[in-house]
Amino acid sequence: MAKTALVTGITGQDGAYLAKLLLEKGYTVWGTARRAASINNWRLVELGIADQIKTVTFDLLEDSNIRRAIETAKPDEVFNLAAQSFVGTSFDQPLYTADVDALGVTRILEAIRSIDGGKNIRFYQASTSEMFGKVQAVPQTEDTPFYPRSPYGVAKLYGHWITVNYRESYGMHASSGILFNHESPLRGFEFVTRKITLSLAKILAGQLDVLELGNLDAKRDWGFAGDYVEGMWRMLQQDTPDDYVLATGETHTVRSFVENAAKPLGFDIEWRGQDEKTEGLDKKSGKVIVRVNPQFYRPAEVDLLLGSPAKAEAKLGWKRKVDLPGLVAMMAEADARRVRDGTLRF
Ligand code: NDP
Ligand code: GDR
């Protein structure tokens, strides 16, 4: 029988890709959207699925609307992707971030538990490699101790453990995906990969002079969001709930992401200076097109993330398909086309 899913945060990057996947699998898909003057559904429009989603108004801060959303959608599976997801903002809004990313998870789990003791609804929590923070082992696995380095990471750690706790306390089918960074042409503009590809496209079109960045030496394990939503879905199809790392097993610096994104656009970057004096010169035009601005440094940084997807590969049969050069090319080309054609959506 066709299943029904409720996806919180469906207007975000992962929500849009997951909704597309679930529709392809024949699910009825309900998505939650925050009340706003106009719904921010550009990603669903870009994927051509906006009119196939049933929407319900919802905020993770409000207990009663969470219960109503679940009673209305009657889901077999709930994917909790909604979050204040920007690490930088969590330093400015730590209490809000905790309310949404930590307590919000408990609100959903309680709402699910209040229906038949939570036995008939499967739950996915969007946990994160930010929980590893100051890493205690390389590569990071499901067994690596956590040491979060931001209010976001701390809040997500609560969300992770409350999911484990409801699984163990009440026998709920609750799983947590510890996902490393995953990107796409639908990534939010404030995240570093999309900031890089969009800014370089604008520089190419003469709409921007310089791309300003923070820490160029941070290392991340970047994959493609389209691959990662497949892993989320697979977690909920298992007989037994569990926690899984999804990662590529490779790590790269922000600096090398810039170099890789610049190449297909015809730029050739040479780095000069150090730390906050670093500049990236385009050898062809002789112009500085990248500059460090300490405004984008974080009070505490996560220097290195590198995940091991071994458990997900063995137990879920999951494997990422897109590698870093493929991801960078996909994003750089999409942004160059949007800027050229004037089809950039917000
Ligand atoms: P996005 O920032 O693209 O999307 C976040 C979604 O959450 C949006 O739909 C947003 O709605 C919604 N949202 C924000 N605040 C609230 C709230 N108070 N109540 C209800 N909805 C809210 O994130 P991603 O798609 O990239 O990530 C999905 C999830 O996975 C997040 O939980 C993130 O923390 C986590 N994660 C992401 C990783 C990544 O690399 N992308 C890696 C690991 C974990 P609106 O459109 O109204 O703003
Ligand atoms: P992250 O992603 O914090 O890993 O969280 P982000 O792209 O914001 O930063 C990655 C690294 O790049 C460095 N950096 C910059 N970052 C931004 N945003 N802007 C800049 O100008 C800049 N310059 C350098 C950062 O310091 C950092 O080291 C993402 C989010 O999707 C989380 O929700 C998710 O949980 C984690 O990935 C896994």
Side-chain angles (χ1 to χ4, degrees):
M1 213 174 68
K3 287 192 205 168
T4 298
L6 176 66
V7 180
T8 76
I10 204 160
T11 53
Q13 170 189 257
D14 291 8
Y17 282 111
L18 179 64
K20 185 159 190 290
L21 178 84
L22 294 173
L23 288 167
E24 284 163 5
K25 291 186 182 297
Y27 279 63
T28 299
V29 179
W30 285 81
T32 72
R34 286 195 282 179
R35 210 214 67 78
S38 57
I39 174 179
N40 162 32
N41 68 345
W42 66 270
R43 296 181 175 91
L44 301 171
V45 170
E46 280 222 9
L47 294 182
I49 56 169
D51 57 357
Q52 295 172 59
I53 311 287
K54 296 170 184 281
T55 46
V56 56
T57 308
F58 173 110
D59 196 303
L60 271 174
L61 297 179
E62 173 64 47
D63 193 47
S64 60
N65 71 179
I66 295 175
R67 284 167 197 270
R68 263 199 307 280
I70 292 173
E71 282 162 10
T72 304
K74 299 186 178 46
D76 301 291
E77 297 169 7
V78 173
F79 293 87
N80 181 34
L81 308 185
Q84 190 303 93
S85 70
F86 189 41
V87 174
T89 294
S90 78
F91 288 99
D92 295 329
Q93 300 183 351
L95 298 175
Y96 173 75
T97 302
D99 209 346
V100 175
D101 295 5
L103 294 182
V105 186
T106 319
R107 292 187 185 103
I108 300 187
L109 286 165
E110 272 297 291
I112 293 175
R113 192 166 78 91
S114 72
I115 301 168
D116 302 331
K119 293 280 185 285
N120 296 311
I121 300 178
R122 296 186 174 193
F123 177 75
Y124 172 85
Q125 168 58 14
S127 289
T128 163
S129 52
E130 280 295 300
M131 301 188 307
F132 295 121
K134 187 171 179 181
V135 298
Q136 304 295 296
V138 181
Q140 294 89 53
T141 72
E142 293 78 4
D143 299 322
T144 303
F146 298 119
Y147 191 145
R149 292 270 283 171
S150 63
Y152 168 82
V154 174
K156 280 283 184 176
L157 189 53
Y158 175 96
H160 179 73
W161 281 117
I162 202 71
T163 301
V164 174
N165 183 256
Y166 272 56
R167 176 167 82 217
E168 294 178 352
S169 302
Y170 308 117
M172 287 171 60
H173 196 295
S175 293
S176 194
I178 306 173
L179 270 51
F180 283 63
N181 299 54
H182 44 279
E183 320 293 312
S184 73
L186 302 185
R187 188 57 146 148
F189 304 102
E190 70 270 42
F191 301 98
V192 77
T193 55
R194 185 79 202 286
K195 182 176 172 182
I196 292 167
T197 57
L198 181 58
S199 302
L200 289 174
K202 286 184 171 174
I203 292 170
L204 186 68
Q207 295 174 13
L208 182 74
D209 293 328
V210 179
L211 159 62
E212 290 195 331
L213 293 169
N215 180 7
L216 294 173
D217 298 316
K219 289 184 166 171
R220 289 291 182 278
D221 178 332
W222 280 297
F224 170 52
D227 288 344
Y228 286 51
V229 297
E230 167 83 29
M232 296 176 187
W233 175 77
R234 286 186 183 224
M235 286 179 214
L236 292 206
Q237 309 318 305
Q238 305 305 302
D239 290 340
T240 312
D242 204 347
D243 306 324
Y244 298 89
V245 162
L246 298 185
T248 70
E250 285 176 23
T251 191
H252 301 270
T253 59
V254 171
R255 190 188 295 266
S256 84
F257 194 102
V258 173
E259 291 162 5
N260 279 292
K263 236 175 258 160
L265 301 183
F267 297 117
D268 186 6
I269 294 190
E270 180 180 288
W271 298 101
R272 295 177 172 187
Q274 280 185 332
D275 303 324
E276 69 270 16
K277 300 269 187 257
T278 307
E279 288 181 339
L281 180 89
D282 173 34
K283 285 200 269 185
K284 292 185 182 160
S285 65
K287 288 185 184 158
V288 170
I289 60 168
V290 188
R291 184 179 298 137
V292 166
N293 182 342
Q295 177 201 325
F296 297 108
Y297 288 161
R298 291 174 182 172
E301 180 61 284
V302 173
D303 296 321
L304 161 71
L305 289 174
L306 172 59
S308 166
K311 179 177 171 184
E313 288 180 1
K315 298 210 166 160
L316 303 177
W318 176 84
K319 197 159 177 53
R320 63 89 188 241
K321 298 188 185 92
V322 179
D323 62 7
L324 189 84
L327 173 67
V328 176
M330 186 195 307
M331 294 179 69
E333 282 159 21
D335 275 330
R337 178 174 29 79
R338 286 162 168 154
V339 169
R340 197 176 52 239
D341 301 348
T343 53
L344 195 59
R345 294 182 214 247
F346 293 93

